[in-house]
Amino acid sequence: MRRRVVLLGVGGVGKTTLVYRLMGLSATPHVTLRPGLYKLYLAGGKVVELLDVPGQHATEVAQRAAKLMRHFFDKAVLMYDLTVADTLYSLSEVLDALCIYGNCLAAREIAVVGNKRDLAEEYGYMVENTALPYPTYYISAVKDPPEELVKIVA
C-alpha cells in the first residue's frame, strides 16, 4: 500500500529534520533548495512517499508547491515552529497562495504539526495552534523517537 504525504511550511520549521529522522539518516540537514522526495518503507509492505517542499517564505513555498502538486495527496502535513508565532500564521498564507497559483491543496487528510517542543519547553513558551481547524500534533523532530514521529505520516 502506497501513501503520499506532502510537508509544507516556511523555512526553518523542521520539515527536512523530520524526514531525516523518519528515514534514519544521521546527517544534519541543511537548508533545502530543491524539493525532496523520499520513500519510507514500513512494516506490512506499506510505503510512504514524502514530498518535502522547500522555501523560506510563504509565497515561495506556495509557488514551489503549486508546481509540484499535480497529484492528489493522502495527507498534507502543515508544519510550524512552536517558538515562532509567525510560522503558524504563515501556514494560512501558504494555503491561500496555493489557491491563487491555481493549485489548491488536495489531500484526504490535513494535519498541523508544531515542531521544536523541546525548545518551547526550554524557553517556557509555546505557540499553540488556534489558527487552523485541523488535528494538531506537538513534537520535537530532534528528540522524539521515530516510532512516535511515524504516526504523523503513516
Side-chain angles (χ1 to χ4, degrees), residues 3-6 73-77 107 109 111 137 151-153:
R3 185 168 167 84
R4 289 182 172 172
V5 178
V6 62
F73 288 92
D74 295 296
K75 189 166 193 174
V77 175
E109 297 174 61
Y137 303 87
K151 293 175 184 176
I152 295 168
V153 297

Side-chain angles (χ1 to χ4, degrees), residues 9-24:
V10 295
V13 298
K15 300 179 303 290
T16 306
T17 300
L18 175 62
V19 170
Y20 275 38
R21 287 296 310 285
L22 290 170
M23 299 296 296

Side-chain angles (χ1 to χ4, degrees), residues 71-131:
H71 303 285
F72 178 83
F73 288 92
D74 295 296
K75 189 166 193 174
V77 175
L78 309 175
M79 287 188 72
Y80 75 99
D81 180 338
L82 286 168
T83 65
V84 182
D86 286 348
T87 63
L88 171 61
Y89 305 131
S90 71
L91 292 174
S92 293
E93 293 176 43
V94 169
L95 294 175
D96 290 344
L98 274 172
C99 289
I100 290 168
Y101 295 123
N103 219 350
C104 291
L105 183 61
R108 185 172 293 129
E109 297 174 61
I110 298 175
V112 177
V113 172
N115 187 29
K116 302 186 183 183
R117 190 184 66 232
D118 54 320
L119 292 178
E121 290 170 355
E122 183 180 322
Y123 298 161
Y125 170 78
M126 181 172 109
V127 178
E128 293 188 39
N129 174 26
T130 57

Side-chain angles (χ1 to χ4, degrees), residues 12-83:
V13 298
K15 300 179 303 290
T16 306
T17 300
L18 175 62
V19 170
Y20 275 38
R21 287 296 310 285
L22 290 170
M23 299 296 296
L25 301 173
S26 59
T28 303
H30 301 285
V31 173
T32 306
L33 301 175
R34 288 183 275 158
L37 180 60
Y38 303 86
K39 286 190 178 184
L40 178 62
Y41 296 93
L42 302 175
K46 192 174 190 179
V47 177
V48 179
E49 293 178 353
L50 300 165
L51 177 60
D52 180 7
V53 178
Q56 293 302 306
H57 306 285
T59 306
E60 183 183 1
V61 172
Q63 286 173 338
R64 290 184 179 193
K67 291 177 186 175
L68 298 168
M69 293 173 54
R70 302 287 184 232
H71 303 285
F72 178 83
F73 288 92
D74 295 296
K75 189 166 193 174
V77 175
L78 309 175
M79 287 188 72
Y80 75 99
D81 180 338
L82 286 168
T83 65

